[in-house]
Amino acid sequence: MSKARSDQLFQLIKSLRKSEKRYFKTQCNQSGKSDLKYIKLFDAIDNLKRFEDESQLLDQAWINPAQFSNLKAHLYKRILQSLKDYAAASNEELAIREQIDYVQILFDRSLYSQSIQLLDKVKRAVRNSENLELQLEVLKWERNLLPFSIGKNNRERVQEIVRASNDVNDRISRTNLLTNLLVELNAIYLQFGYIRSKEDFDHINQIFKDRLPKSDATDLSLREKLLWYEIYHGYYSFIQDLDNTYVYAKYWVDLFPNEPHSAFLLEKYLKGLNHLLNAQSRLRMEREFVTTHKRLRSLEGHPLIAVNENLRIRLFKYSYAHQFNKYFMVGDFTTGGLLLSRIESRLEQFIGMIDKHSELILFYKIACLHFGNQDYRAALKWLNRIINSEDLDIREDVHSFARIINLITHYELGNRDVLEYAVRSTYRFLLKKEDLHHFQQCILDFIKNLSWSMTDEQLIQAFKHLRTKLLPIASSQYDRRAFVYFDIISWLESKIENRPIESVVKDKLRLPPHESLEMATRPSLEFMT
């Protein structure tokens, strides 16, 4: 194992809960040798606050440097085996795979009747599973064991196995087509975000029509329906058709009349609730949003959340993201700012556990919340974490608009010296990413032409002029996406009327959706993954 693998070993050990460490130690101690070197290495790494280099470990007298690489590899393998055994009790698929392995072991020892007996138990367990690959594996073993269980109904059994195998293969083939389409759409979304032009729309439309299998959703299995609704939800989200985005998110969540009890289905359920909440917040469905958010938060007590780190992190991510969305939806930036100050240290710990896309969206939401609260220095701190990121090919749209808000934030802070350089830098970035559209050009021209010697009346006229130029963009099919990222109209009105942006947004929310631009101008970026 290299130094990088040493760091990975440190991360793996630090990810273990107390109960998992206890289980690992118990397993090791069953050997009767409490002085095993890999146990000592486990304790040494566990006692480290952070990993810097291997010298922290190699100064232990009992470690032979020549054997260190093998010792680390052995410990890593033992921890993974322990975690597998620990999780098998609560993870149905892991338990089934383990039983199939036992069928293989019994078969290899010519204990055919025992293999058949165990396979019958596995068949009952896998029957309700949505894992098609496991179902196919069981059917394979049924074929393998058929010559050793010949009976009077043998021919009928063969035909039944063939029919079942063909059905599962067809479903696997359809699932693969749906999965490939979903992955392709997700990859485009993760790079560019919402469609920016007619060319983007035509490209997405063509992919959608060419790749989507001809099928009726009512004939699909649960797993296939989940993929089907996720694809349609993603497509309508791409093109900003909010009504259909909501419809397919609702179809998705309605597939779960009760809380699921497998890790795969619970993960899909969490994603469905996340997308439904995004749609409800964008459509100003406050009552439904509150109900759905309670439904999401209630999952904190689900037994799988306690033992599955991936599910726990997803729940944490979605819960707080939609708590922030609630503040955007009701215009309560003050309360949002207070929440952020309370949980900032916890957030920092959490940020290191999530994927880069989720991290980027979280930074952006937090920056917008601080901006709405007029805490511009805090907003700038989070915007800088986006601007200084090396992952510029993830959500190029978010990177672009972070730079736009960065300019406005520097203006609010009176940072004259920074603004001139920031405008040039933003121009270069937008040109490089081919994202210099009418909205961005208007903002850049506005900032560039602002003079610090303007009178209050001249400033108000400049704000009014920019508002007049931007309002028509909000109804444009493609350019309106800009208002999803930043509610610049409310900011301009706050400057024109000389009152807090929070007050402007709350006044807008008292109007029906069709009488205000609020529905199109509230930051509500989505966690697609």
Side-chain angles (χ1 to χ4, degrees):
M1 274 176 125
S2 63
K3 291 180 182 179
R5 292 298 299 276
S6 295
D7 191 20
Q8 289 174 8
L9 182 57
F10 172 81
Q11 291 172 11
L12 177 62
I13 291 173
K14 289 300 182 182
S15 75
L16 301 179
R17 292 184 292 275
K18 286 183 179 179
S19 58
E20 291 167 337
K21 290 177 183 178
R22 204 162 44 242
Y23 185 82
F24 172 74
K25 290 287 194 69
T26 302
Q27 275 194 324
C28 294
N29 289 333
Q30 285 175 354
S31 66
K33 298 178 181 178
S34 59
D35 63 340
L36 288 173
K37 287 187 176 181
Y38 70 83
I39 302 178
K40 289 184 177 181
L41 180 59
F42 179 92
D43 289 334
I45 293 174
D46 193 28
N47 289 330
L48 293 176
K49 295 294 183 188
R50 65 171 181 266
F51 180 80
E52 294 172 356
D53 57 58
E54 292 187 338
S55 63
Q56 296 169 278
L57 301 169
L58 287 170
D59 61 1
Q60 308 276 344
W62 51 269
I63 292 181
N64 181 346
Q67 298 175 345
F68 191 47
S69 181
N70 288 337
L71 184 60
K72 288 186 295 182
H74 183 64
L75 175 57
Y76 195 89
K77 184 177 178 182
R78 287 297 298 260
I79 293 172
L80 289 180
Q81 182 62 51
S82 173
L83 285 173
K84 176 176 173 289
D85 294 342
Y86 182 86
S90 58
N91 188 312
E92 186 181 20
E93 290 190 0
L94 273 179
I96 290 171
R97 287 194 190 99
E98 187 177 67
Q99 294 295 306
I100 292 173
D101 288 342
Y102 294 157
V103 170
Q104 169 86 63
I105 290 168
L106 292 169
F107 181 84
D108 290 344
R109 302 184 72 84
S110 300
L111 298 171
Y112 306 122
S113 61
Q114 293 185 41
S115 292
I116 293 166
Q117 190 176 14
L118 182 55
L119 187 64
D120 285 339
K121 292 181 182 178
V122 176
K123 275 179 64 178
R124 289 194 292 273
V126 84
R127 192 172 292 143
N128 298 322
S129 169
E130 283 293 321
N131 191 316
L132 298 174
E133 289 73 19
L134 281 180
Q135 292 180 23
L136 200 61
E137 184 74 8
V138 168
L139 287 166
K140 181 197 83 172
W141 276 107
E142 281 201 89
R143 286 195 299 270
N144 289 347
L145 289 165
L146 204 56
F148 305 99
S149 60
I150 296 174
K152 61 179 181 179
N153 296 324
N154 202 53
R155 188 174 176 184
E156 287 81 357
R157 285 184 60 205
V158 169
Q159 290 174 344
E160 184 184 331
I161 292 169
V162 169
R163 278 196 303 271
S165 297
N166 289 337
D167 177 60
V168 172
N169 275 317
D170 287 344
R171 288 167 61 195
I172 287 174
S173 176
R174 195 162 51 229
T175 299
N176 284 336
L177 287 172
L178 292 170
T179 303
N180 290 341
L181 173 57
L182 182 61
V183 167
E184 190 169 358
L185 290 174
N186 241 334
I188 297 170
Y189 177 82
L190 288 175
Q191 183 172 0
F192 301 113
Y194 303 111
I195 58 168
R196 303 168 296 180
S197 63
K198 176 73 162 58
E199 290 74 20
D200 284 353
F201 178 79
D202 290 342
H203 179 56
I204 295 300
N205 240 7
Q206 200 59 50
I207 291 174
F208 188 74
K209 288 177 179 176
D210 288 349
R211 307 279 199 282
L212 190 67
K214 302 294 182 288
S215 187
D216 184 345
T218 57
D219 298 330
L220 303 177
S221 66
L222 175 58
R223 182 174 286 215
E224 290 168 310
K225 283 179 182 176
L226 285 167
L227 285 166
W228 190 267
Y229 295 149
E230 188 169 3
I231 288 166
Y232 268 95
H233 168 273
Y235 169 74
Y236 286 119
S237 178
F238 254 131
I239 66 174
Q240 295 184 71
D241 181 338
L242 296 184
D243 291 328
N244 274 312
T245 299
Y246 167 77
V247 165
Y248 278 94
K250 190 81 165 58
Y251 284 160
W252 182 339
V253 170
D254 287 347
L255 289 173
F256 299 96
N258 302 302
E259 289 181 5
H261 292 284
S262 79
F264 167 77
L265 290 178
L266 183 55
E267 182 178 347
K268 289 294 184 183
Y269 181 50
L270 286 170
K271 285 180 69 175
L273 289 172
N274 169 53
H275 292 317
L276 182 58
L277 284 162
N278 275 317
Q280 289 167 342
S281 68
R282 295 278 305 278
L283 290 169
R284 285 175 58 179
M285 303 169 74
E286 188 178 344
R287 281 188 183 176
E288 278 197 33
F289 179 93
V290 169
T291 301
T292 307
H293 196 236
K294 285 180 180 175
R295 192 172 171 182
L296 179 74
R297 295 296 294 265
S298 71
L299 293 170
E300 289 174 2
H302 194 290
L304 281 174
I305 298 295
V307 297
N308 190 310
E309 194 73 2
N310 173 50
L311 296 175
R312 188 182 71 82
I313 290 170
R314 277 185 184 275
L315 180 59
F316 184 94
K317 175 175 73 174
Y318 297 151
S319 295
Y320 276 105
H322 292 298
Q323 187 65 52
F324 300 153
N325 279 348
K326 170 75 181 300
Y327 298 133
F328 287 123
M329 183 166 54
V330 300
D332 191 358
F333 303 117
T334 302
T335 306
L338 291 172
L339 172 68
L340 284 171
S341 63
R342 283 204 316 271
I343 67 168
E344 188 165 356
S345 59
R346 192 178 173 198
L347 266 179
E348 287 297 342
Q349 180 185 7
F350 164 72
I351 284 165
M353 302 177 185
I354 60 178
D355 60 276
K356 291 297 180 183
H357 174 245
S358 298
E359 182 181 281
L360 181 70
I361 301 301
L362 197 62
F363 290 172
Y364 194 88
K365 283 181 182 288
I366 293 171
C368 288
L369 202 53
H370 280 306
F371 188 97
N373 194 35
Q374 296 182 278
D375 188 349
Y376 299 117
R377 294 197 182 281
L380 199 60
K381 182 183 83 169
W382 291 93
L383 289 170
N384 282 334
R385 293 179 76 165
I386 297 173
I387 293 167
N388 297 328
S389 166
E390 295 178 358
D391 303 299
L392 298 180
D393 291 330
I394 299 176
R395 290 302 297 273
E396 293 175 1
D397 55 335
V398 176
H399 282 283
S400 296
F401 281 93
R403 283 160 172 78
I404 295 293
I405 301 177
N406 180 58
L407 297 178
I408 296 171
T409 305
H410 278 300
Y411 168 77
E412 286 285 13
L413 290 168
N415 295 336
R416 305 183 189 185
D417 298 337
V418 177
L419 262 180
E420 187 178 345
Y421 165 78
V423 168
R424 289 198 306 270
S425 173
T426 302
Y427 258 119
R428 286 196 300 270
F429 181 85
L430 294 175
L431 286 170
K432 180 182 177 183
K433 295 298 181 183
E434 299 179 355
D435 201 15
L436 187 53
H437 298 277
H438 186 40
F439 176 92
Q440 291 94 322
Q441 188 68 60
C442 288
I443 306 298
L444 288 167
D445 290 344
F446 170 77
I447 296 288
K448 189 171 62 173
N449 295 325
L450 272 179
S451 169
W452 297 99
S453 61
M454 281 181 169
T455 65
D456 289 345
E457 183 58 34
Q458 287 172 325
L459 269 175
I460 289 173
Q461 288 305 313
F463 288 128
K464 285 181 176 179
H465 180 64
L466 178 59
R467 183 181 184 276
T468 301
K469 288 174 70 175
L470 292 178
L471 279 174
I473 298 175
S475 57
S476 164
Q477 182 179 358
Y478 304 115
D479 291 331
R480 70 184 179 190
R481 75 186 181 104
F483 298 93
V484 176
Y485 301 91
F486 179 52
D487 185 359
I488 191 168
I489 301 296
S490 292
W491 175 72
L492 289 170
E493 289 171 355
S494 76
K495 307 306 289 184
I496 293 165
E497 299 167 19
N498 192 28
R499 60 190 179 115
I501 189 172
E502 182 175 74
S503 170
V504 173
V505 172
K506 284 183 175 178
D507 280 352
K508 282 185 180 183
L509 293 175
R510 295 188 184 100
L511 298 172
H514 65 279
E515 292 183 21
S516 81
L517 282 169
E518 186 275 331
M519 183 161 40
T521 59
R522 196 181 329 104
S524 184
L525 304 182
E526 299 181 21
F527 290 106
M528 288 291 285
T529 56

